[in-house]
Amino acid sequence: MTFDPDTRDQVGQRGHDGVYLRWYLNSLLYAGGGALVCALISVAAGYAFDKYRFRGKEKLFGAVLLGVLVPSTALALPMYLLASKAGLVNTYWSVLVPVLVNPFGVYLSRVFSASHIPDEALEAVRIDGAGELRACWSIGLRMVMPGFVTVFLFQFTAIWNTFFLPLVMLSDQKLFPLSLGLYAWNSNTHAEPAFYPLVVTGSLLAVLPLVVAFVALQRHWKAGLTAGSVK
């Protein structure tokens, strides 16, 4: 797939008027917001699969595991058709909505829930009169915080580096993430060599949020967060 010539001209004309900052903020929105919501959905789903019994649970979880085997690029075009029918193409939602579900995150959250949330702690909270939502939010989420952070970082990195989905969904360069914007600049380097330093510098700066996220959240991976919670 290639860029439309008009889009390349727009990118070239706006190469020095702050569009890079716009792409940076777009990437923070896509990756930060998408990863946060995805991690919450994954942890809630993993908690439900682990702690509740309902009809067809294992079959439904098997379908989730099958979703892990499907590459995201294979789903991009079907999602484009769905987004087109819903009128979401070339909007922020066309990139945000597909990244809110991560089958691997659900699987990982179930594993963390089984190993980090003892049933005795939930029973004690229920005896004290807490509802299911409060037990999940106040007890379950706190105990499974290492899993939440893990899913968040995996999804944050995946969305930050995503390329094919925005390429399919977006045509307005104001909505581009960094990956697509830098690709647009790089496609202009043959005609305008002045774009080379922009691409190199932009690529270097694009790594910073990933480094900051890993350094800031690594403390949540320390073992023994729930040690001694159940005697």
Side-chain angles (χ1 to χ4, degrees):
M1 301 184 69
T2 58
F3 278 93
D4 182 79
D6 294 335
T7 303
R8 286 180 173 173
D9 292 341
Q10 292 176 9
V11 173
Q13 293 169 2
R14 295 175 177 269
H16 302 280
D17 65 355
V19 72
Y20 180 82
L21 179 60
R22 180 69 176 266
W23 293 340
Y24 215 100
L25 295 177
N26 288 344
S27 288
L28 289 175
L29 173 63
Y30 295 140
L36 179 62
V37 177
C38 176
L40 288 173
I41 293 175
S42 297
V43 168
Y47 176 87
F49 276 120
D50 176 46
K51 300 305 179 184
Y52 296 111
R53 291 181 174 84
F54 51 89
R55 187 175 181 180
K57 181 179 77 170
E58 295 304 325
K59 291 182 179 179
L60 182 59
F61 188 69
V64 172
L65 293 181
L66 287 177
V68 177
L69 304 178
V70 180
S72 58
T73 52
L75 299 175
L77 292 178
M79 285 190 294
Y80 173 81
L81 296 177
L82 291 175
S84 179
K85 287 185 177 294
L88 298 179
V89 173
N90 203 33
T91 66
Y92 286 109
W93 295 110
S94 64
V95 177
L96 275 173
V97 172
V99 300
L100 298 182
V101 178
N102 183 357
F104 179 73
V106 176
Y107 164 75
L108 198 61
S109 297
R110 183 178 183 178
V111 173
F112 270 95
S113 177
S115 60
H116 285 71
I117 306 178
D119 294 334
E120 292 85 351
L122 296 178
E123 290 175 3
V125 173
R126 290 164 182 158
I127 292 175
D128 290 339
E132 294 300 324
L133 288 178
R134 183 174 179 81
C136 176
W137 179 261
S138 301
I139 301 299
L141 182 60
R142 293 179 184 273
M143 289 184 172
V144 81
M145 186 57 67
F148 176 86
V149 172
T150 301
V151 175
F152 175 85
L153 288 177
F154 280 166
Q155 192 69 354
F156 184 88
T157 304
I159 301 172
W160 188 268
N161 294 324
T162 190
F163 175 78
F164 191 64
L165 180 64
L167 179 64
V168 171
M169 294 291 188
L170 304 176
S171 59
D172 185 356
Q173 59 98 17
K174 292 182 180 179
L175 304 178
F176 285 179
L178 272 177
S179 57
L180 192 57
L182 290 174
Y183 173 77
W185 273 358
N186 188 61
S187 66
N188 284 276
T189 54
H190 298 290
E192 299 181 42
F195 275 91
Y196 274 114
L198 293 176
V199 173
V200 173
T201 305
S203 300
L204 177 62
L205 294 176
V207 180
L208 294 181
L210 299 177
V211 176
V212 171
F214 274 89
V215 171
L217 297 176
Q218 67 176 346
R219 62 188 180 89
H220 292 286
W221 282 335
K222 291 182 180 179
L225 281 179
T226 59
S229 62
V230 179
K231 296 182 179 179

